[in-house]
Amino acid sequence: MSRFFGVVPPVVVPLLADGQVDYPSYTRVLEHLIQGGCHGLFVLGSTSEVIFFDEATRQRIIEHSVKVVAGRLPVIVGVIDPGTERVIGHARAAQQAGADAVVVTAPFYAITNQQETMDHFRRVRGAIDIPVVAYDLPVCVHTKLARSTTVQLAREGAIQGLKDSSGDDGNTRYVILDTRDVSDFFVMTGSEIVVDSALLMGAHGVVPGLGNVDPAGYVRLWDAVQRGDAAAARAEQERLCRLFEIVWVASGRLSGGASGVGGFKTAMRRLGLIATNTMTSPRGSLNEAESQRVDEILRSVGLLAA
Amino acid sequence: MSRFFGVVPPVVVPLLADGQVDYPSYTRVLEHLIQGGCHGLFVLGSTSEVIFFDEATRQRIIEHSVKVVAGRLPVIVGVIDPGTERVIGHARAAQQAGADAVVVTAPFYAITNQQETMDHFRRVRGAIDIPVVAYDLPVCVHTKLARSTTVQLAREGAIQGLKDSSGDDGNTRYVILDTRDVSDFFVMTGSEIVVDSALLMGAHGVVPGLGNVDPAGYVRLWDAVQRGDAAAARAEQERLCRLFEIVWVASGRLSGGASGVGGFKTAMRRLGLIATNTMTSPRGSLNEAESQRVDEILRSVGLLAA
Amino acid sequence: MSRFFGVVPPVVVPLLADGQVDYPSYTRVLEHLIQGGCHGLFVLGSTSEVIFFDEATRQRIIEHSVKVVAGRLPVIVGVIDPGTERVIGHARAAQQAGADAVVVTAPFYAITNQQETMDHFRRVRGAIDIPVVAYDLPVCVHTKLARSTTVQLAREGAIQGLKDSSGDDGNTRYVILDTRDVSDFFVMTGSEIVVDSALLMGAHGVVPGLGNVDPAGYVRLWDAVQRGDAAAARAEQERLCRLFEIVWVASGRLSGGASGVGGFKTAMRRLGLIATNTMTSPRGSLNEAESQRVDEILRSVGLLAA
Amino acid sequence: MSRFFGVVPPVVVPLLADGQVDYPSYTRVLEHLIQGGCHGLFVLGSTSEVIFFDEATRQRIIEHSVKVVAGRLPVIVGVIDPGTERVIGHARAAQQAGADAVVVTAPFYAITNQQETMDHFRRVRGAIDIPVVAYDLPVCVHTKLARSTTVQLAREGAIQGLKDSSGDDGNTRYVILDTRDVSDFFVMTGSEIVVDSALLMGAHGVVPGLGNVDPAGYVRLWDAVQRGDAAAARAEQERLCRLFEIVWVASGRLSGGASGVGGFKTAMRRLGLIATNTMTSPRGSLNEAESQRVDEILRSVGLLAA
């Protein structure tokens, strides 16, 4: 098996009230995830609000992460930007800063086809010396990585893994089947709520945003699947599904993106991990009434005393 | 009327075979548009393949444009990036370099709602001293600017114009009606093929990618509408519709984006304006057979001798 | 020119409070449209809520319409159903009842491609002796009739007209250009709000649901275009755009479909044309507060005394 | 547990070369499914091409099915039509003919909201004396049944089950969790390729079109899950995933709908169950080369001797 496996949360980036990154809180989040038993970390993914950060901030976040983690876990780094050149720029910087792998989406804004998308991944891979993980995220980039695209890139060695946030579990399953003979290739699901299913299909890991709130829960789920205890895995997954409802507390009032990551931040603040639930501008943050509803959910799953 | 009106093409950025910007050709394109009678220029829009250029290249393109134009026409500059902070960075740089206005899309990649989108425009406007033009481009950013969003921003003064590439002419019409009393507010259509309609509805200008190939045609169309000659406007528009078919010559083989701008570049090469039809990587370029088909179309509309 | 041209409203079907068709009111609507100067009638379209009526009710509506109209205007009849066989059944019945043409959409529910869609139209045409009009309505059937599909069917004689409710005015324009040499082929727009544009592009008519409320307004708009008075056409169109806002009065509370046709019915009730604003179940109807807002709009455009 | 559970295939309707229903072949299909160990049958679903059949044909198919099955298994019947009144008509006829339950989609063609959709289900339920199963099929009806809609209808007793073909496994999981205390309520997945996952989440059954080709495979998968053997379930599921590739053999040439059901029919013809692979008009059928590719797949999974 590859060194990339298991529970690999996308790390939330806490902010001060003025919108600057709160590095002391960020350090606490990293330690929380490591102490929680995670097997890797995904820095600068969508949950990290990567798309709102400029080059300098991204660079500092990577460097801070690598320094705090200090080799205890693999650190994979999102290098998310619409066009190939800038993605390459981010990827080189990430490698230089010590990233163990980079995560790359299909191009976005510009309309491209699967052939152009393949060339995009090949060019990024050709520019660096660390593995590339394809990030299938049609909800953000509005292109689905076709099964044949992913499998072709895997066979060429252009990508060493797939982070699948497409919600298309049937497609995930076919990619797993088709790449079974590709040495070291790994598939991780970006889902929080069908992780047991994905692992039972043969996925090698999970990248749950909700893992920021309850890493130990996802590690228990992972361990249950490893020892073949489907019933325990399901029970833990169902508990995490109840916890996941924090992402909808502010939906309607806020955008889906703000409501989701904002739900994580609000729960993390309540658990003492971070100082504020501030979101990157122009996203709004959860208000007091919504925070209380998050507290109720935390209590209902045992993360907060009743 | 605002100083922003009339035919304002988004300027194609010609490349050398190695993908670097070909500034001598770019200068020729700018002069071609100015000599063709255009009323303004839109630098670094989608047709300029802006999303593929890094900060330094964008900056050099703006500076080169401003220097060549030398105040002969207004230069409005696209400051396209997914998140607010980086858009502000681009906008400040554009202002510093001499842009007359900046063009801003809704946030993309991140999922936002109309409220967050409004705050995005407000923040950009607050950071600079030149006008902001809203760019409604759902095909790229996957968010439609609601009529109420555009009108509210116009009334606040957060935006001074709308470049409407949504294809939703009914919505455009309502925005024109709703902002009629907002001093200096302008609406330009991004369509190449229903420009006569948009102008007859009251639009103040047009931003046609095809104007790179035939600026004089769009200027004739504009002039016909100004003098109330709907029949002449329609005849010119129909001729331009035939010319516009160059954007589909490579469709199927290339992505829609590559086929469209690639069609412009191939025609411009044939007309002696630029040196190559190379597209920004990973986009493919039109091949020889496709170039011959473009030639036929150029001949059919009188841009090339039969 | 074909005998199918001009203002051809889709006729609203008024209901009694118990949901049964109110034929006396329906007769009044037909006379209102004829007296208003319309050039044809489209019976059993989307605005007629056709999809909710069973075979017997549809048949009675057709027969009633043909009898009341009594040859004063052409009556074209929507034969809307998901699959080909049943569409043929409806089409034969419509012909037998005296329809002058039938209106046919692409298949829906089942997923079909453009080839299968063409065969669908060909089979319907082959089964009857009256013209077929293609109804391009992607918002309901979730398939867009490609330009090449429409033009091919027109050239074959499988269809004699297009009712275009796609909102894609550029495509409409190309269809008009491509079929200019097809004898008697006509294109009508289904838009209420860009009718002047469509007619100036060369469309042969308009099928406005809003024409039920104000047929004379659309006839004035048509006449203005015929005599080349673009300014008068635009002024009338802008007035009708203000009236069209009745379709959004209940949006949010009701579905878009219910809010739109419900807005027409509420206005028609207020104008004394029909007895109730009841919608076909399970659609909801406009309430009292919404009806008052409709009244205000009617007053603002001069259809109701201030 | 409800009497509705287990493997409940949607029954393919074989046709003669002229497009008429081939009842002798249909009888063979029914017996094949019963002998294969299925636990129920879904007659007149999408796989049955229901939407192409008129009232009389539908009625004869139901009556034939009920007569052949003769109480050996529950027969649930799809009553698929766009509007409520006609659905009620079909539902009453199905009940009269001996159906054990009916399957109802959200309204389609007309645009409705979740409230109107709920009223649609309530009205159908109120008109008959047998259970209603909600069919969540956004790919055909272009409306997703919201989690809250399904759960509300389940709690009211308006529906007794959900056939989930939405592909949204996370949503399915929440519906299962939310209805766990609703006596006799059942959830069945319409997926062919993630059945093991759905059953491990707590789904009560599966409605696989591919079950027409290999009912015994799905029964083995079901049995493996029942006895807690996740590894055997996964192995059988992966074999069925390989078989499922028959649905894409003709994709590209035919529509997705024709390629999918056409793949089933072609395999069934090869296995001697039915006489032709003819599809309902205007859908095309698989050709000889495609049929040979289907044969290869059948051999690769052991359904045909090598």
Side-chain angles (χ1 to χ4, degrees):
Chain A
M1 197 192 260
S2 148
R3 58 187 289 233
F4 302 104
F5 69 91
V7 179
V8 184
V11 187
V12 161
V13 175
L15 301 179
L16 299 169
D18 67 358
Q20 297 300 303
V21 176
D22 173 359
Y23 286 99
S25 286
Y26 187 54
T27 300
R28 269 196 303 277
V29 174
L30 293 167
E31 290 295 343
H32 173 63
L33 298 175
I34 297 171
Q35 304 309 325
C38 295
H39 308 91
L41 297 174
F42 175 27
V43 167
L44 290 180
S46 306
T47 301
S48 317
E49 305 180 88
V50 58
I51 208 66
F52 297 99
F53 296 126
D54 62 17
E55 272 72 359
T57 307
R58 293 190 189 195
Q59 196 60 20
R60 193 168 162 207
I61 290 172
I62 302 173
E63 289 167 0
H64 189 92
S65 305
V66 168
K67 188 172 148 206
V68 170
V69 174
R72 288 180 283 175
L73 300 178
V75 173
I76 64 180
V77 172
V79 291
I80 315 292
D81 237 330
T84 311
E85 284 307 321
R86 286 209 285 177
V87 171
I88 288 174
H90 290 302
R92 285 179 170 147
Q95 173 178 339
Q96 183 118 9
D100 293 291
V102 293
V103 182
V104 175
T105 69
F108 51 97
Y109 185 89
I111 299 158
T112 51
N113 63 16
Q114 296 285 320
Q115 183 61 47
E116 292 165 353
T117 297
M118 282 199 279
D119 287 344
H120 169 78
F121 282 102
R122 288 166 181 146
R123 285 202 52 220
V124 178
R125 182 63 189 86
I128 54 173
D129 300 313
I130 54 175
V132 170
V133 181
Y135 192 174
D136 192 15
L137 186 65
V139 72
C140 289
V141 305
H142 303 276
T143 300
K144 172 90 185 81
L145 294 180
R147 169 185 168 188
S148 58
T149 295
T150 306
V151 172
Q152 171 68 21
L153 291 171
R155 295 205 165 279
E156 290 178 9
I159 59 174
Q160 191 183 326
L162 171 70
K163 176 187 186 284
D164 187 338
S165 295
S166 70
D168 183 345
D169 298 334
N171 187 70
T172 310
R173 172 159 238 155
Y174 276 111
V175 171
I176 292 171
L177 289 174
D178 291 351
T179 58
R180 193 169 278 172
D181 63 331
V182 180
S183 169
D184 275 352
F185 188 78
F186 65 91
V187 174
M188 296 195 185
T189 178
S191 174
E192 274 94 354
I193 56 180
V194 291
V195 176
D196 53 345
S197 302
L199 296 178
L200 288 164
M201 277 180 201
H204 307 82
V206 53
V207 188
L210 188 63
N212 286 277
V213 180
D214 191 9
Y218 281 99
V219 172
R220 282 193 300 270
L221 168 48
W222 168 262
D223 289 342
V225 173
Q226 299 313 302
R227 68 175 185 265
D229 188 345
R234 176 178 166 190
E236 186 65 50
Q237 176 65 85
E238 292 181 354
R239 182 184 150 275
L240 290 165
C241 285
R242 287 304 177 200
L243 177 57
F244 190 65
E245 307 235 21
I246 60 176
V247 304
W248 296 303
V249 163
S251 70
R253 192 178 68 84
L254 302 180
S255 66
S259 176
V261 177
F264 299 157
K265 285 191 169 179
T266 302
M268 293 165 80
R269 183 184 60 179
R270 188 64 179 83
L271 297 175
L273 292 167
I274 65 178
T276 81
N277 69 347
T278 304
M279 298 291 292
T280 49
S281 168
R283 281 177 160 174
S285 306
L286 270 69
N287 61 25
E288 185 51 35
E290 290 156 353
S291 297
Q292 289 182 16
R293 176 72 192 117
V294 168
D295 288 358
E296 288 168 27
I297 296 172
L298 291 172
R299 275 193 286 270
S300 76
V301 300
L303 286 180
L304 210 57
Chain B
M1 195 191 262
S2 149
R3 59 187 289 233
F4 302 104
F5 69 91
V7 179
V8 185
V11 188
V12 161
V13 175
L15 303 179
L16 299 168
D18 67 358
Q20 296 300 303
V21 176
D22 173 1
Y23 285 98
S25 287
Y26 187 55
T27 300
R28 270 196 303 278
V29 175
L30 292 168
E31 290 295 344
H32 172 63
L33 298 175
I34 297 171
Q35 305 308 324
C38 295
H39 308 89
L41 297 173
F42 174 28
V43 167
L44 291 180
S46 306
T47 301
S48 317
E49 306 180 87
V50 57
I51 209 65
F52 296 101
F53 296 126
D54 62 17
E55 271 73 357
T57 306
R58 293 189 189 196
Q59 196 60 18
R60 193 168 163 206
I61 291 172
I62 302 172
E63 289 166 0
H64 189 91
S65 306
V66 169
K67 188 173 149 206
V68 170
V69 175
R72 289 180 284 175
L73 300 178
V75 174
I76 64 179
V77 173
V79 292
I80 316 291
D81 237 329
T84 311
E85 284 306 322
R86 288 208 285 176
V87 171
I88 288 175
H90 291 301
R92 286 180 170 147
Q95 174 178 338
Q96 182 120 7
D100 294 292
V102 293
V103 182
V104 175
T105 69
F108 51 98
Y109 185 89
I111 299 158
T112 50
N113 62 17
Q114 297 286 320
Q115 183 61 47
E116 291 165 353
T117 297
M118 283 199 278
D119 287 344
H120 169 77
F121 282 102
R122 288 166 181 147
R123 285 203 54 218
V124 178
R125 183 62 188 86
I128 56 175
D129 300 313
I130 54 176
V132 170
V133 181
Y135 192 175
D136 192 16
L137 186 66
V139 72
C140 289
V141 306
H142 303 276
T143 299
K144 172 91 185 79
L145 294 181
R147 170 185 169 190
S148 57
T149 295
T150 305
V151 173
Q152 171 68 20
L153 291 171
R155 295 204 166 277
E156 291 179 10
I159 60 175
Q160 191 182 325
L162 171 69
K163 176 188 187 282
D164 187 338
S165 295
S166 71
D168 182 345
D169 297 334
N171 187 70
T172 310
R173 172 158 239 156
Y174 276 111
V175 171
I176 292 171
L177 290 175
D178 291 351
T179 57
R180 194 169 277 172
D181 63 332
V182 180
S183 168
D184 276 352
F185 189 78
F186 64 91
V187 174
M188 296 195 184
T189 178
S191 175
E192 274 94 355
I193 56 180
V194 292
V195 176
D196 53 346
S197 303
L199 297 178
L200 288 163
M201 277 180 203
H204 308 82
V206 53
V207 187
L210 188 64
N212 285 277
V213 179
D214 191 10
Y218 281 98
V219 171
R220 283 193 299 270
L221 168 49
W222 168 261
D223 288 343
V225 172
Q226 299 313 302
R227 68 175 184 267
D229 188 343
R234 177 178 165 187
E236 186 64 50
Q237 177 65 85
E238 292 181 353
R239 181 184 151 276
L240 289 165
C241 285
R242 287 305 177 201
L243 176 57
F244 190 64
E245 307 235 22
I246 59 176
V247 304
W248 296 303
V249 163
S251 71
R253 191 178 70 82
L254 302 180
S255 66
S259 176
V261 177
F264 298 157
K265 286 192 168 179
T266 301
M268 293 165 79
R269 184 184 60 178
R270 189 66 180 80
L271 296 174
L273 292 167
I274 65 177
T276 81
N277 69 348
T278 303
M279 299 290 293
T280 48
S281 169
R283 281 177 160 175
S285 305
L286 271 69
N287 61 27
E288 185 51 34
E290 290 155 353
S291 297
Q292 290 183 15
R293 176 73 193 115
V294 168
D295 288 357
E296 289 169 26
I297 295 172
L298 291 173
R299 275 191 287 271
S300 76
V301 300
L303 286 180
L304 211 56
Chain C
M1 195 193 262
S2 149
R3 60 188 288 235
F4 302 104
F5 69 91
V7 179
V8 185
V11 188
V12 161
V13 175
L15 303 180
L16 299 169
D18 67 358
Q20 296 300 303
V21 176
D22 173 1
Y23 285 99
S25 287
Y26 188 56
T27 300
R28 269 196 303 279
V29 174
L30 292 167
E31 290 296 344
H32 172 65
L33 298 175
I34 297 170
Q35 304 310 323
C38 295
H39 308 92
L41 297 173
F42 174 27
V43 167
L44 290 179
S46 307
T47 301
S48 318
E49 305 181 87
V50 56
I51 208 66
F52 296 100
F53 295 126
D54 63 17
E55 271 71 359
T57 306
R58 292 188 188 197
Q59 197 58 21
R60 191 165 164 210
I61 291 171
I62 302 172
E63 288 167 0
H64 189 91
S65 306
V66 169
K67 187 171 150 210
V68 171
V69 175
R72 289 180 284 174
L73 300 178
V75 173
I76 65 179
V77 172
V79 292
I80 315 291
D81 237 330
T84 311
E85 284 306 322
R86 288 208 284 177
V87 171
I88 289 175
H90 290 302
R92 286 179 170 147
Q95 173 177 339
Q96 183 117 8
D100 293 290
V102 293
V103 182
V104 175
T105 69
F108 49 99
Y109 184 90
I111 299 157
T112 51
N113 62 17
Q114 296 286 320
Q115 184 60 48
E116 292 165 355
T117 297
M118 283 199 278
D119 288 344
H120 170 77
F121 282 102
R122 288 166 181 146
R123 285 203 51 219
V124 178
R125 182 62 189 86
I128 56 175
D129 301 313
I130 54 177
V132 169
V133 181
Y135 193 175
D136 193 15
L137 187 65
V139 72
C140 289
V141 307
H142 302 277
T143 299
K144 172 90 185 79
L145 294 181
R147 169 184 168 189
S148 58
T149 295
T150 305
V151 173
Q152 172 68 21
L153 291 172
R155 295 205 167 280
E156 290 179 10
I159 60 174
Q160 190 183 326
L162 171 69
K163 177 189 186 282
D164 187 338
S165 295
S166 70
D168 183 346
D169 297 333
N171 188 70
T172 311
R173 172 158 237 156
Y174 277 110
V175 171
I176 292 170
L177 290 174
D178 291 351
T179 57
R180 194 169 277 171
D181 63 332
V182 180
S183 168
D184 275 352
F185 188 77
F186 64 92
V187 174
M188 296 195 183
T189 179
S191 175
E192 274 95 353
I193 57 180
V194 292
V195 176
D196 53 346
S197 303
L199 297 178
L200 288 164
M201 278 181 203
H204 308 81
V206 54
V207 188
L210 187 65
N212 286 277
V213 179
D214 190 10
Y218 281 99
V219 171
R220 283 193 300 269
L221 168 51
W222 169 261
D223 289 343
V225 173
Q226 298 313 301
R227 68 175 185 266
D229 188 344
R234 178 179 163 187
E236 186 64 50
Q237 176 65 84
E238 292 182 354
R239 183 185 150 273
L240 289 165
C241 286
R242 288 303 177 201
L243 176 57
F244 189 64
E245 307 236 21
I246 60 175
V247 304
W248 296 304
V249 163
S251 70
R253 192 178 69 83
L254 302 181
S255 66
S259 176
V261 177
F264 299 156
K265 286 193 169 179
T266 302
M268 294 165 78
R269 183 185 60 179
R270 189 65 180 79
L271 296 175
L273 292 166
I274 65 178
T276 80
N277 70 348
T278 304
M279 299 290 294
T280 47
S281 168
R283 281 176 160 176
S285 305
L286 270 68
N287 62 27
E288 185 51 34
E290 290 155 354
S291 297
Q292 289 183 15
R293 176 73 192 116
V294 168
D295 288 358
E296 289 168 27
I297 295 172
L298 291 172
R299 273 192 287 270
S300 76
V301 300
L303 286 180
L304 211 57
Chain D
M1 196 191 263
S2 147
R3 60 188 285 234
F4 302 104
F5 69 91
V7 179
V8 184
V11 187
V12 161
V13 175
L15 302 180
L16 298 169
D18 67 359
Q20 297 301 302
V21 176
D22 174 0
Y23 284 99
S25 286
Y26 187 55
T27 300
R28 269 197 303 279
V29 174
L30 292 168
E31 291 294 346
H32 172 64
L33 297 175
I34 297 171
Q35 304 310 324
C38 295
H39 308 92
L41 296 173
F42 175 27
V43 167
L44 290 180
S46 306
T47 301
S48 317
E49 305 180 88
V50 57
I51 207 67
F52 296 100
F53 296 125
D54 62 16
E55 272 71 359
T57 306
R58 292 189 189 196
Q59 196 59 20
R60 189 165 166 211
I61 290 171
I62 302 173
E63 288 167 1
H64 189 92
S65 304
V66 169
K67 186 171 150 208
V68 171
V69 175
R72 289 180 285 176
L73 300 178
V75 174
I76 66 180
V77 173
V79 292
I80 315 291
D81 238 329
T84 312
E85 283 307 321
R86 287 209 285 177
V87 171
I88 289 174
H90 290 302
R92 285 179 172 147
Q95 173 178 340
Q96 182 117 10
D100 294 290
V102 293
V103 182
V104 175
T105 69
F108 51 98
Y109 185 88
I111 298 159
T112 49
N113 61 17
Q114 296 286 320
Q115 183 61 48
E116 292 165 354
T117 297
M118 282 199 279
D119 287 343
H120 170 77
F121 282 102
R122 288 166 181 145
R123 285 202 51 219
V124 178
R125 182 62 189 88
I128 55 175
D129 301 314
I130 54 176
V132 169
V133 181
Y135 192 175
D136 192 16
L137 186 67
V139 72
C140 289
V141 305
H142 302 277
T143 299
K144 171 90 186 80
L145 294 182
R147 170 185 168 189
S148 57
T149 296
T150 306
V151 172
Q152 171 69 21
L153 291 171
R155 294 205 167 279
E156 289 179 11
I159 59 175
Q160 190 182 326
L162 172 70
K163 178 189 185 280
D164 187 337
S165 296
S166 70
D168 182 346
D169 298 333
N171 187 71
T172 310
R173 171 159 239 155
Y174 276 111
V175 171
I176 291 172
L177 290 175
D178 290 352
T179 58
R180 193 168 279 171
D181 63 331
V182 180
S183 169
D184 276 351
F185 188 78
F186 64 92
V187 174
M188 296 195 183
T189 178
S191 174
E192 275 95 353
I193 56 181
V194 292
V195 175
D196 53 345
S197 303
L199 296 179
L200 288 164
M201 277 180 204
H204 308 83
V206 52
V207 188
L210 188 64
N212 285 277
V213 180
D214 191 10
Y218 281 99
V219 171
R220 282 194 299 270
L221 168 49
W222 168 261
D223 289 342
V225 172
Q226 298 314 302
R227 68 176 185 266
D229 189 345
R234 177 178 165 188
E236 186 64 50
Q237 177 63 85
E238 291 181 354
R239 182 185 151 274
L240 290 164
C241 285
R242 287 304 176 201
L243 176 57
F244 190 64
E245 308 236 20
I246 60 176
V247 304
W248 296 304
V249 162
S251 70
R253 192 178 68 84
L254 302 180
S255 66
S259 176
V261 177
F264 299 156
K265 285 192 169 178
T266 301
M268 293 165 79
R269 182 184 62 178
R270 189 64 180 81
L271 296 175
L273 292 167
I274 66 178
T276 81
N277 70 348
T278 304
M279 299 290 293
T280 47
S281 170
R283 282 175 159 176
S285 305
L286 271 68
N287 62 26
E288 184 51 34
E290 291 156 352
S291 297
Q292 289 182 17
R293 176 72 193 116
V294 169
D295 289 357
E296 288 168 27
I297 295 172
L298 291 173
R299 274 192 287 271
S300 75
V301 300
L303 285 180
L304 211 57

